């Protein structure tokens, strides 16, 4: 019996650990002193900039200056995350974008966001559409795979913001050993308050995006990538919504890539696809 338990426990990955990290930059592998293309990479909920490093390394090798900020409440404590307002995350990425444009006014900027980072990328696109050449959405949680979690969100959405930190945390779903290609630097549990803030942001985006980009001629260039079997996101529903409401968007399917696409087993392929798609025709119809 003990042997069976031992075998069973070894088939599941241990919870991730969050080693403190901060914002990183990767300069382009180029002799040119002028920065012409910048990638602003935004990590996911409970994670860190490290989960964006594999993509950043590939883009830097092809001439991009890559910037990956740390969102507030991450790599500190779950209590800190639970008490971090959405506006703090929004201020972080808006400040990074403005810093990029101040230092390199003519550079074309690509947003690349994972999960929460994808939603923040869409929010930033709405706020500063003329500054963004292309937006890459990795596993955007436009609808959760779990109907129970969607129902729970409907109830929690009525709670005032001040009560959210009282909701505590819950364990992450167990994943098989080796389900990711790279180590995941993240909290081992989910902050319910932070997850609720993510879904409130999502609801606002689903409401505002269709009217913001109605004309295909002025719609921004968007690339969305999903694993069809994503354990967290209803990828099929999200793909349909993007195809219906975002005229200049393209969906990519990477089976077996996991929700954490930049560090999953399709990470290298994802980086190669994005490098190819972003390289020849970066500018979007609405960029200036």
């Amino acid at each position: 019996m003990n042997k069976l338990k031992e075998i069973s426990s070894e088939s599941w990955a241990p919870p991730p650990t969050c080693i403190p990290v901060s914002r990183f930059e990767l300069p382009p592998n180029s002799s040119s002193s002028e920065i012409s293309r910048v990638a602003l990479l935004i990590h996911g909920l409970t994670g860190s900039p490290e989960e964006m490093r594999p993509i950043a390394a590939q883009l830097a090798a092809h001439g991009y200056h890559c910037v990956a900020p740390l969102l507030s409440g991450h790599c500190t404590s779950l209590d800190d995350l639970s008490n971090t307002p959405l506006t703090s995350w929004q201020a972080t990425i808006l400040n990074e974008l403005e810093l990029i444009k101040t230092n390199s006014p003519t550079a074309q900027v690509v947003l690349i966001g994972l999960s929460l980072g994808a939603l923040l990328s869409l929010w930033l696109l709405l706020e500063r559409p003329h500054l963004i050449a292309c937006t890459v959405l990795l596993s955007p949680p436009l609808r959760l795979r779990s109907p129970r979690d969607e129902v729970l969100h409907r109830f929690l959405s009525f709670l005032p913001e001040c009560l959210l930190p009282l909701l505590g945390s819950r364990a992450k779903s167990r994943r098989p050993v080796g389900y990711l290609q790279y180590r995941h630097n993240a909290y081992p549990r989910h902050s319910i308050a932070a997850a609720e803030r993510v879904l409130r942001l999502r609801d606002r985006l689903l409401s505002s995006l269709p009217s913001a980009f109605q004309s295909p001629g002025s719609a921004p260039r968007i690339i969305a990538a999903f694993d069809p079997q994503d354990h967290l996101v209803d990828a099929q529903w999200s793909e349909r919504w993007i195809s219906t409401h975002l005229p200049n968007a393209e969906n990519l399917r990477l089976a077996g890539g996991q929700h954490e696409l930049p560090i999953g087993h399709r990470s290298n392929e994802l980086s190669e696809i994005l490098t190819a798609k972003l390289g020849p025709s970066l500018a979007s119809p609405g960029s200036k």
Side-chain angles (χ1 to χ4, degrees), residues 172-189:
K172 292 185 174 181
S173 59
R174 297 197 306 168
R175 310 299 294 162
V177 168
Y179 85 101
L180 294 175
Q181 181 176 357
Y182 300 97
R183 180 177 179 177
H184 196 192
N185 185 37
Y187 289 136
R189 297 179 64 86

Side-chain angles (χ1 to χ4, degrees), residues 26-105:
L26 294 181
N29 294 350
S30 170
S31 58
S32 174
S33 59
E34 181 180 352
I35 296 176
S36 60
R37 299 189 295 182
V38 180
L40 175 55
L41 302 106
I42 309 167
H43 66 81
L45 186 65
T46 78
S48 80
E50 287 302 304
E51 64 193 6
M52 308 304 289
R53 190 177 289 274
I55 289 180
Q58 180 80 353
L59 289 174
H62 287 80
Y64 277 85
H65 187 97
C66 297
V67 179
L70 176 68
L71 298 176
S72 302
H74 292 77
C75 290
T76 53
S77 70
L78 272 175
D79 285 342
D80 187 19
L81 180 59
S82 295
N83 285 282
T84 299
L86 172 62
T87 52
S88 179
W89 301 335
Q90 292 170 325
T92 295
I93 62 170
L94 182 56
N95 290 341
E96 288 286 353
L97 177 61
E98 292 178 344
L99 181 63
I100 289 169
K101 297 306 292 186
T102 298
N103 293 333
S104 306

